Amino acid sequence: MKKNLLLILTLCALAMNAVAQHKREFRGAWIQCVNGQFQGMSTAKMQEYLTYQLNVLQRQGVNAIIFQVRAECDALYASQYEPWSRFLTGVQGRAPQPYWDPLQWMITECHRRGMELHAWINPFRAKIKSTGRLANNHVTVLRPGAAFMYDNQLILNPAHQWNRDYICTVAADIVRRYDIDGFHIDDYFYPYPVPGQVIPDDRDYAAYNNGIPNKGDWRRFNVNQFIKQLSDCIHSIKPWVKFGVSPFGIYRNKRNDPYNGSETAGLQNYDELYADVMLWVNNGWIDYCVPQIYWQIGHPTADYQTLIQWWNKYCYKRPLYIGEDIERTVQFADPYNGNKHQMEAKYRLHNQMRNVHGTVLWYAKASVDNIGNYGLMLEKNYWRYPALQPRMPFIDNRAPERVRHLAPIWTEDGYMLVWEGPTSRDWRDAAYKYVVYCFAPGEIIDIDDPSHIVAITRQSYYKLPYRDGRTRYTYVVTALDRMSNESAIAKKRVKL
């Protein structure tokens, strides 16, 4: 009884604090393998586990999954270049039994739910601390000089052109063979600094420094070359695949950069990881940016409010999504109301930032487990209605033609709204998904209001909720292309 009362009170509070809904918003969730959550699971058990997660995330409003498929030069997919991951089967190089391809399975399941699937790789990390034996076909076994050891990890040396080419070959294989919507890398470039450890690249710097007098600038040059090369590689194969990066949450501290730095005092992308994220954004080398702002509002050296305002100010040339740590958000009290955690205050800041167009949850399981009622508040409040992906006009800004032959028909499966996709010349104006809206009698047709969206689907039909045929509703269907450009409407009045 107490549990039911608590749930009722929570739902009432949510209703009273309803927030503005956005029709276009990236609502992502990271599903990682490196934490070992899949180890020891059979094929059937892992599929059951992922199905449950996807069902809950769909109900919570998530519209994109960022799925880790390469943690340490290994693979959670059928790769001709790299061994099967130990995070899947327990032993690096051992194929799953019964055999399956997790990446292909996830693409199918996400698309079935109207979600995007972004394949996430760690480009340079070749071995983490806890990994023992490497498979015979692991890149560092076949080519020992490709990597350096740092803090008991193996890192593919960003200074070597061969390594940059190799990573792009792996990426090209994924992009070419799989119907992914995005390609995603995280914050591991040069390794996170550890006291007493030195990156062993003096010989490389002496041999080919390209005339760059400062080693830090040279390291950034190496990473910059890689980002540009990877971007070109992805888009040369499939221009519609979105290339995204989720950097560490601080670009530079003001003490290092008085003009462009933030009022923070933590680790920096630019100075310690040699990742010049703003160069990539400003040059258009990446298609979206997800800074990992994992701290709380009021953090003494990396205040959340300071950082979201900084990214909103400087990261405006590409879509900006915020990486949110669920556990830390619900761990700390709202600075304005000590009786609740910080989710409401953080989402209020999101809505105040004109250049923030989405959120990525770290991590999916925390939302599925509804830690601190976070997942429930997404479902009932913040992500209550479906959302289309933000547009990317720098890739494509041409909308498809409207759908054709929209009509309700009776079938053996019930009353259906059916249509035909528009004609198209190429991928830029081909229909990839459809949006179905419903308007009750007397309601103005306003497709900018997401509360009227009843489906975002890849199918060219929608099952109508027929009751007694006495009430006339207006249904609207639009076509979306791969970049979520939306067509003009087609409408039909239907008695339900």
Side-chain angles (χ1 to χ4, degrees):
M1 184 67 181
K2 276 187 178 178
K3 261 177 120 177
N4 290 339
L5 180 60
L6 181 61
L7 180 60
I8 291 170
L9 291 173
T10 298
L11 293 175
C12 288
L14 291 175
M16 292 171 62
N17 292 286
V19 296
Q21 301 292 314
H22 302 285
K23 180 181 172 178
R24 290 186 179 272
E25 188 174 29
F26 190 88
R27 301 171 176 175
W30 281 293
I31 295 183
Q32 81 275 40
C33 68
V34 75
N35 66 344
Q37 65 175 321
F38 306 132
Q39 284 184 302
M41 288 187 179
S42 65
T43 296
K45 187 66 178 176
M46 183 172 167
Q47 290 178 355
E48 178 186 347
Y49 179 63
L50 286 170
T51 297
Y52 171 72
Q53 285 199 349
L54 291 177
N55 286 343
V56 175
L57 292 168
Q58 181 187 23
R59 192 167 67 242
Q60 292 174 351
V62 169
N63 62 16
I65 297 296
I66 301 175
F67 183 55
Q68 189 176 29
V69 298
R70 182 184 186 265
E72 48 178 3
C73 296
D74 54 4
L76 268 77
Y77 63 97
S79 172
Q80 62 178 310
Y81 300 104
E82 299 190 308
W84 285 100
S85 175
R86 75 175 179 89
F87 297 111
L88 177 65
T89 66
V91 177
Q92 192 178 91
R94 177 186 292 167
Q97 294 295 333
Y99 183 86
W100 70 306
D101 185 324
L103 175 55
Q104 183 56 60
W105 187 91
M106 283 290 287
I107 291 168
T108 300
E109 293 299 314
C110 286
H111 287 174
R112 184 177 295 153
R113 292 166 174 80
M115 297 173 172
E116 289 192 345
L117 190 286
H118 294 223
W120 161 24
I121 74 163
N122 302 95
F124 293 103
R125 189 171 64 194
K127 184 189 83 70
I128 67 171
K129 291 182 182 181
S130 60
T131 298
R133 187 184 71 81
L134 297 172
N136 292 335
N137 64 331
H138 190 270
V139 62
T140 62
V141 175
L142 297 175
R143 195 180 178 94
F148 58 74
M149 182 70 75
Y150 185 90
D151 193 35
N152 203 30
Q153 302 177 86
L154 281 174
I155 310 295
L156 291 183
N157 193 336
H160 294 183
Q161 183 62 52
W162 188 92
N163 286 337
R164 301 194 293 265
D165 292 343
Y166 172 74
I167 298 165
C168 287
T169 297
V170 170
D173 178 54
I174 294 172
V175 173
R176 189 173 290 113
R177 291 194 297 119
Y178 293 92
D179 186 21
I180 59 174
D181 303 285
F183 194 91
H184 186 88
I185 63 175
D186 56 18
D187 52 329
Y188 292 98
F189 301 102
Y190 278 90
Y192 275 63
V194 175
Q197 299 282 326
V198 178
I199 296 174
D201 61 356
D202 286 346
R203 185 179 300 175
D204 299 308
Y205 179 61
Y208 35 86
N209 57 38
N210 296 290
I212 300 172
N214 177 277
K215 185 184 279 190
D217 290 338
W218 171 73
R219 288 173 179 166
R220 278 183 288 276
F221 172 77
N222 296 331
V223 177
N224 292 340
Q225 282 191 297
F226 166 71
I227 294 294
K228 178 64 165 62
Q229 183 180 351
L230 180 58
S231 177
D232 291 344
C233 170
I234 292 166
H235 292 132
S236 69
I237 300 168
K238 292 179 180 175
W240 60 85
V241 171
K242 306 164 186 177
F243 175 36
V245 177
S246 57
F248 186 73
I250 299 173
Y251 175 64
R252 297 195 83 186
N253 299 313
K254 189 171 282 290
R255 70 166 181 256
N256 294 79
D257 186 344
Y259 299 103
N260 298 312
S262 55
E263 290 283 4
T264 50
L267 183 78
Q268 304 160 100
N269 277 289
Y270 185 92
D271 299 86
E272 280 92 21
L273 303 179
Y274 306 100
D276 191 352
V277 183
M278 294 315 302
L279 179 72
W280 313 339
V281 169
N282 292 330
N283 286 353
W285 295 347
I286 63 177
D287 299 320
Y288 67 87
C289 184
V290 192
Q292 299 172 22
I293 310 180
Y294 286 170
W295 303 278
Q296 71 272 24
I297 300 170
H299 190 285
T301 59
D303 173 53
Y304 180 95
Q305 181 168 336
T306 297
L307 284 167
I308 194 172
Q309 290 172 341
W310 187 94
W311 285 99
N312 176 72
K313 178 180 179 180
Y314 288 94
C315 189
Y316 59 88
K317 290 190 176 180
R318 283 295 183 261
L320 171 64
Y321 317 138
I322 303 301
E324 291 285 354
D325 186 314
I326 293 175
E327 291 185 347
R328 293 191 198 181
T329 297
V330 302
Q331 178 184 354
F332 292 94
D334 187 315
Y336 309 107
N337 184 345
N339 295 320
K340 52 188 177 182
H341 56 60
Q342 292 194 356
M343 182 182 188
E344 182 181 326
K346 286 186 173 183
Y347 277 80
R348 190 183 307 118
L349 285 169
H350 279 231
N351 288 327
Q352 293 170 359
M353 304 294 122
R354 63 175 298 178
N355 294 316
V356 172
H357 302 293
T359 307
V360 183
L361 306 175
W362 178 258
Y363 49 97
K365 187 177 182 298
S367 188
V368 170
D369 291 345
N370 193 32
I371 296 175
N373 275 332
Y374 195 103
L376 181 65
M377 287 193 279
L378 289 179
E379 178 183 350
K380 301 299 181 183
N381 197 348
Y382 298 99
W383 294 352
R384 180 179 176 184
Y385 302 117
L388 281 58
Q389 296 293 339
R391 295 180 66 248
M392 294 188 174
F394 48 88
I395 296 179
D396 171 43
N397 64 356
R398 187 173 68 199
E401 298 295 322
R402 73 180 73 209
V403 303
R404 301 171 295 160
H405 309 306
L406 179 66
I409 62 171
W410 282 100
T411 72
E412 60 183 14
D413 294 321
Y415 202 28
M416 298 286 187
L417 189 66
V418 300
W419 58 88
E420 291 182 19
T423 57
S424 62
R425 289 165 289 178
D426 57 28
W427 68 270
R428 292 176 182 83
D429 57 0
Y432 184 60
K433 294 179 185 176
Y434 302 95
V435 188
V436 183
Y437 304 83
C438 178
F439 298 89
E443 289 184 323
I444 297 173
I445 294 177
D446 177 11
I447 66 169
D448 290 328
D449 181 352
S451 68
H452 292 284
I453 298 175
V454 294
I456 301 173
T457 176
R458 297 182 76 177
Q459 308 301 328
S460 57
Y461 60 84
Y462 171 74
K463 187 171 184 178
L464 293 163
Y466 183 81
R467 289 178 290 276
D468 54 18
R470 295 179 180 177
T471 307
R472 190 184 293 270
Y473 293 86
T474 300
Y475 277 84
V476 168
V477 178
T478 60
L480 299 176
D481 62 18
R482 282 187 175 270
M483 303 315 301
S484 278
N485 296 304
E486 188 172 19
S487 74
I489 69 171
K491 63 181 179 179
K492 183 66 65 173
R493 299 182 74 186
V494 180
K495 284 186 177 181
L496 299 177

